[in-house]
Amino acid sequence: MTSAPLGTPGRLRLMAVHAHPDDESSKGAAAMARYADEGAEVLVVTCTGGERGDVLNPAFEVPAGHEFDTVEGKRSVRRLEMAAAADALGVQQTFLGFTDSGLPEGDPLPPLPDDAFALVPLEQAAAPLVEAVRRFRPHVITTYDPSGGYPHPDHIYTHTVSMEAWEAAGDPSRYAVDGGAEAWTPLKLYYNHGFSLERLRAVHESMEGQGLESPFGDWIESRTAREIPERPVTTLVEVAAYFGRRDAALTAHASQIDPTGFFFAVPRDVEADVWPWEEYELAASRVPTDAREDDLFAGIRGTEAAS
């Protein structure tokens, strides 16, 4: 683990916990850029190095002096990409130091590698995140819902580890380490969303109405046919002004993001007009909240808790 930075007293602080490099750029990136611009401290915590990710961009070229054929080589390249993405967003970033589990494929699914993050015992996996929370002292944490957002073992385990840190970081009797940071109790926990049916339909209908090809038609039909329960969206953060920063962070992950691919299929003027928000679900709160919010720091700004 690289040591998490210390949070600055008197500033609002947001911690976004993600499974792999590039996840932060496709989930809540524009909101992070907005809050950083507004003066909040924002820290991305990346659980793994993304060492088992495949090349997903056909135009990707391995940076000079690096290689992408070994676990160590991929880790090095993806750290470079992560640093560039964090710079594009104007946020801080730290790695917990665990190894990507990979996405198992086949029927039956093969076992995970022995060094996989998803196989690390919970107390061992959560300990560095608890320490990061205690050092950075976030008022707000964002992470994934219990499904992980999609069935990658690292995403699912990131949820589990994040919930453990949410509960344990403020209890000085848990994860006590000589010389470790003092206990800190975060105030709000959110799940990242991004592809609610409401959003998909709004963008899909707008594009079709303008004679454009929508990337969401089959997706909407599939989700509707399967009658997948929708998780609630409680919080819409307006971020259209930061779509460019989000896109720069996405393309910084050159091994993973195809600049002609899915993430760029919706014209940005259409997106800004129809759906200028990023979506979140308030999963837990230790401060009074409203049923609908437009700010992750609602209930915290201007209070004694914002210290």
Side-chain angles (χ1 to χ4, degrees), residues 16 42 52 158 193 209 241-242 269 283 294:
V42 182
R52 291 190 168 95
T158 293
H193 288 337
Y242 294 90
D269 58 339
D294 61 5

Side-chain angles (χ1 to χ4, degrees), residues 125-179:
L129 181 56
V130 169
E131 179 65 12
V133 170
R134 289 173 175 172
R135 284 179 59 83
F136 186 66
R137 301 180 303 160
H139 301 100
V140 175
I141 295 175
T142 66
T143 189
Y144 311 143
D145 68 48
S147 75
Y150 83 111
H152 191 298
D154 288 341
H155 282 245
I156 295 169
Y157 203 41
T158 293
H159 163 81
T160 302
V161 169
S162 297
M163 297 307 296
E164 176 77 355
W166 163 261
E167 295 293 343
D171 184 346
S173 70
R174 300 186 65 188
Y175 295 92
V177 177
D178 289 342

Side-chain angles (χ1 to χ4, degrees), residues 54 144 243:
D54 296 323
Y144 311 143
F243 285 165

Side-chain angles (χ1 to χ4, degrees), residues 16-17 19 23 54-55 73 87 91 97 125 129 133 171 187 203 250 259:
V17 186
D23 289 325
D54 296 323
V55 172
D87 185 63
V91 304
L129 181 56
V133 170
D171 184 346
L187 299 177
V203 175
L250 280 166

Side-chain angles (χ1 to χ4, degrees), residues 20-63:
H20 312 105
D22 80 73
D23 289 325
E24 82 298 324
S25 296
S26 60
K27 303 167 187 66
M32 289 192 290
R34 171 185 161 174
Y35 284 121
D37 266 14
E38 291 177 350
E41 289 188 327
V42 182
L43 175 65
V44 172
V45 176
T46 313
C47 294
T48 81
E51 299 90 345
R52 291 190 168 95
D54 296 323
V55 172
L56 302 179
N57 175 12
F60 171 66
E61 295 183 2
V62 179

Side-chain angles (χ1 to χ4, degrees), residues 6-15 40-43 135-141 184 297 305-307:
L6 296 172
T8 303
R11 294 180 67 180
L12 294 171
R13 296 179 296 277
L14 168 65
M15 173 183 284
E41 289 188 327
V42 182
L43 175 65
R135 284 179 59 83
F136 186 66
R137 301 180 303 160
H139 301 100
V140 175
I141 295 175
W184 174 262
F297 292 106
S307 62

